Amino acid sequence: MDLDPSEYTVDELKEKLAAVENPSDLDAVLAAEREGDDRKTAREAIQRRIDELEEETEGGPADTDHEEEYADEGGTDAPETAGGSDEGETETEGDEAEVTYEVENQTRDKKHVRALKNGDYRDMWVYCETQGGELLDVSKEMLGKARELMDAYNDEYEDERVVGVLVGDEGITDLADDVVAYGSDVAIYHEDDRLERFRHKPYTEIVADMARGGAEPPNWETGDPGTEPTAEWRDYDKPRYFLFPATNNGRDLSAQVQGELDSGLASDCSGLTIEEELVSNPVKTGEPGEKVEFERVLHMKRPDFSGFEYSTILCLDNPGREFHPQGCSVIPGSFDPIEPDYDREGEVVEHDLELEDDWFRVDVTEFDRLDEGVDLTGHEVVVALGRGIGDDPTKGIELGLDLVDAFDDAAFGLSRGVVTASYDVDGHVADYVAEERQIGETGQEVAPDLYIAAGISGAVQHKVGMDESDTIVAINTDPDARIRDFSDYFIEGDLFEVLPRLVESIEEGELTMKAEASDD
């Protein structure tokens, strides 16, 4: 039966749907609606009719797929990236529910879902990205945060570990001791000469296999339920938590690995806590009106797109479907690394997996190495200039650099407005007007002890890149500039006059300018 949903109103479409008896015809109608007008009420009407027909055919309620957002006191929860709802688990007659890791509850649009039920989850895993034979700073930061979280977790619940993950060529083994020194209890690594540079397919397969403990995942197409974990160094099914760096490679890897592990992902997080959460949503509790307390929930805080609000994202189980690991990617600079302790004792585990040649079918035969970029993270002070330098860009940059030089550990940054303005500047400062110094949503994200914003209005895109700074000082001639709303100190004045006086004060060790307080 040919039925074009775009030719009907929703009410008219409902009448037409009642006459359709073949679910496959309705699948085509649903696809046409999604590709066409994509009306929510129309999609729901088509789906209800599909469910009715399947219920009549199967003698029971059809499986449905859910992608929801759940709210907590700190914000909203992210959609679970792979999920389905079940009838609920059936307990065995023994003391414990049977662990099943098999293909169940096939859904029409997510045929890859392979739910592990009643699984055992332990430990916080950290993917430690490397470059040039060294741990990236963000890897050290995540290890330190993981150590802090699991120390508190162990006081509250039971002893679980921090597990650092390393993937690379022969030099990767040398970093295992560093991973332990920066807070990990276990360092698991996979070494192969072909893994010198990040490769999407093999890295994903290796890290997912590590997390599954060598278990073969279920296969929906064949009905093969998979195998039990074989790793000897651990006795659980999957990690409880998994942290990835929010770098280019880390974002790529985190999404794919969490998908392979049939769980969700909260991206670009800047705050992490482990707390209980009382939930009343029936999708999560199984019964309307019932409240369930979820324990050991990783609360993952991330900035909203507006840059002015934050959301707290949770990854909670459904009654018959478990979402583990609870995973996220972490914005570099969000946490402080702990001091390395090379006397710490930790377990080093070599991961064994035969890598298929097909995973390396794309070969990079030639590449150019870019000059080392400018890293604005990790400095105590960042001085950033905006369009306020427009009257004399060269002079403005010179003053900004003078202020940078006045501090012991400072970096020089720019707002997007300066980068896109293409100012005509003298040659001796030309290298400082470069996109690589841009701070903001499409640039670098910094969190120094002191952030000085001179001539920057405070657009939300810029705020995202510096909002985690401990102290923010803004200099602007406009008393109503948006940046005033989120600055700790606001100086109403011309940066060409204020910056030299700040330099003078720093060099003399005392404030040479007088502040006039305002009640505004």
Side-chain angles (χ1 to χ4, degrees):
M1 175 178 179
D2 295 329
L3 179 60
D4 185 354
S6 65
E7 296 179 356
Y8 304 97
T9 66
V10 174
D11 289 338
E12 292 171 343
L13 181 61
K14 290 178 181 178
E15 295 180 3
K16 294 292 183 181
L17 293 174
V20 182
E21 299 294 336
N22 189 336
S24 62
D25 290 339
L26 291 172
D27 286 337
V29 175
L30 183 58
E33 177 63 33
R34 285 173 171 163
E35 295 174 0
D37 297 333
D38 198 24
R39 297 165 294 184
K40 181 174 183 290
T41 52
R43 295 197 314 271
E44 291 174 346
I46 300 169
Q47 186 63 61
R48 279 196 300 271
R49 182 56 181 157
I50 293 174
D51 293 343
E52 290 173 1
L53 292 176
E54 290 187 351
E55 185 173 351
E56 293 172 2
T57 302
E58 300 174 6
D63 293 325
T64 57
D65 185 67
H66 294 279
E67 286 192 358
E68 301 283 347
E69 291 194 4
Y70 302 98
D72 72 342
E73 294 180 0
T76 60
D77 300 330
E80 288 138 355
T81 56
S85 68
D86 306 330
E87 291 281 330
E89 300 176 54
T90 301
E91 299 268 335
T92 60
E93 294 181 0
D95 294 333
E96 296 183 358
E98 179 183 0
V99 176
T100 59
Y101 195 1
E102 58 189 25
V103 180
E104 291 187 3
N105 301 302
Q106 169 197 346
T107 59
R108 282 175 293 277
D109 62 339
K110 287 189 176 178
K111 296 180 180 179
H112 66 280
V113 172
R114 302 157 298 197
L116 172 60
K117 299 180 181 179
N118 302 317
D120 186 16
Y121 312 105
R122 297 179 64 83
D123 297 345
M124 176 171 284
W125 285 43
V126 179
Y127 174 71
C128 300
E129 187 173 350
T130 65
Q131 188 176 56
E134 296 182 357
L135 290 175
L136 291 184
D137 287 344
V138 66
S139 299
K140 301 173 184 177
E141 294 162 8
M142 291 190 300
L143 286 170
K145 186 61 178 179
R147 179 75 274 148
E148 173 192 324
L149 289 171
M150 295 313 289
D151 283 346
Y153 177 98
N154 293 338
D155 290 340
E156 179 73 16
Y157 300 108
E158 57 197 294
D159 285 345
E160 295 189 17
R161 299 168 294 183
V162 175
V163 179
V165 176
L166 291 165
V167 180
D169 60 3
E170 60 179 359
I172 206 70
T173 57
D174 299 333
L175 296 178
D177 289 340
D178 289 339
V179 170
V180 172
Y182 277 98
S184 181
D185 300 298
V186 180
I188 180 171
Y189 70 91
H190 190 103
E191 173 192 335
D192 191 294
D193 289 343
R194 294 171 292 179
L195 301 172
E196 177 185 4
R197 302 174 70 242
F198 176 80
R199 290 170 175 256
H200 174 85
K201 180 64 174 178
Y203 270 62
T204 297
E205 295 289 349
I206 290 168
V207 177
D209 186 75
M210 286 178 173
R212 286 193 295 256
E216 289 292 331
N219 189 308
W220 175 85
E221 294 180 352
T222 64
D224 185 349
T227 63
E228 297 293 324
T230 58
E232 297 181 355
W233 66 274
R234 47 175 269 197
D235 57 357
Y236 52 86
D237 297 294
K238 292 182 184 178
R240 187 184 300 279
Y241 315 108
F242 211 141
L243 309 185
F244 298 84
T247 59
N248 289 337
N249 292 339
R251 289 186 177 106
D252 182 330
L253 184 67
S254 60
Q256 187 66 23
V257 168
Q258 287 295 101
E260 287 294 317
L261 299 177
D262 303 305
S263 191
L265 176 73
S267 61
D268 293 1
C269 295
S270 59
L272 300 173
T273 57
I274 298 174
E275 303 173 23
E276 288 72 36
E277 190 67 29
L278 189 63
V279 176
S280 59
N281 191 306
V283 173
K284 297 300 179 184
T285 64
E287 293 292 338
E290 180 180 348
K291 292 185 178 181
V292 173
E293 185 176 70
F294 287 78
E295 289 188 343
R296 316 178 195 205
V297 179
L298 184 62
H299 287 58
M300 300 167 281
K301 179 182 176 183
R302 73 178 305 278
D304 287 336
F305 293 112
S306 67
F308 287 92
E309 301 292 341
Y310 284 83
S311 293
T312 299
I313 304 175
L314 313 178
C315 187
L316 304 177
D317 296 334
N318 284 355
R321 170 77 167 88
E322 298 177 9
F323 297 96
H324 287 85
Q326 300 174 45
C328 69
S329 60
V330 175
I331 296 173
S334 297
F335 309 116
D336 294 325
I338 62 176
E339 288 295 324
D341 178 5
Y342 287 93
D343 292 329
R344 286 191 79 247
E345 295 184 0
E347 183 178 2
V348 177
V349 178
E350 182 177 7
H351 177 251
D352 183 25
L353 176 68
E354 184 175 349
L355 308 186
E356 299 181 14
D357 291 337
D358 187 56
W359 297 349
F360 298 90
R361 63 183 182 272
V362 176
D363 191 22
V364 179
T365 58
E366 185 177 331
F367 63 90
D368 293 326
R369 187 176 298 277
L370 297 176
D371 293 336
E372 184 177 355
V374 176
D375 185 4
L376 303 180
T377 63
H379 295 276
E380 294 180 358
V381 181
V382 172
V383 177
L385 301 183
R387 286 182 178 271
I389 67 172
D391 290 343
D392 190 345
T394 298
K395 181 63 174 178
I397 294 172
E398 289 174 342
L399 294 176
L401 293 174
D402 287 343
L403 184 56
V404 168
D405 291 340
F407 291 101
D408 292 332
D409 179 22
F412 179 77
L414 303 168
S415 72
R416 178 175 174 80
V418 175
V419 174
T420 58
S422 300
Y423 288 128
D424 184 15
V425 298
D426 294 346
H428 66 287
V429 297
D431 289 343
Y432 292 94
V433 189
E435 186 176 359
E436 61 185 354
R437 293 187 178 276
Q438 181 179 320
I439 296 171
E441 188 174 31
T442 54
Q444 298 193 46
E445 296 184 8
V446 297
D449 295 336
L450 174 61
Y451 186 85
I452 301 176
I456 296 175
S457 63
V460 294
Q461 292 84 356
H462 185 78
K463 182 177 186 293
V464 170
M466 43 69 75
D467 195 38
E468 294 297 318
S469 304
D470 287 346
T471 301
I472 300 172
V473 176
I475 304 166
N476 205 293
T477 56
D478 181 5
D480 296 322
R482 179 177 291 182
I483 198 169
R484 182 172 185 169
D485 296 336
F486 52 90
S487 297
D488 297 287
Y489 300 95
F490 182 83
I491 301 174
E492 182 182 342
D494 190 330
L495 68 87
F496 290 95
E497 299 175 1
V498 176
L499 292 184
R501 298 181 67 179
L502 284 178
V503 172
E504 180 184 350
S505 296
I506 294 170
E507 291 177 346
E508 293 188 9
E510 61 180 4
L511 193 62
T512 60
M513 64 171 67
K514 293 183 179 180
E516 184 175 312
S518 172
D519 295 331
D520 295 337

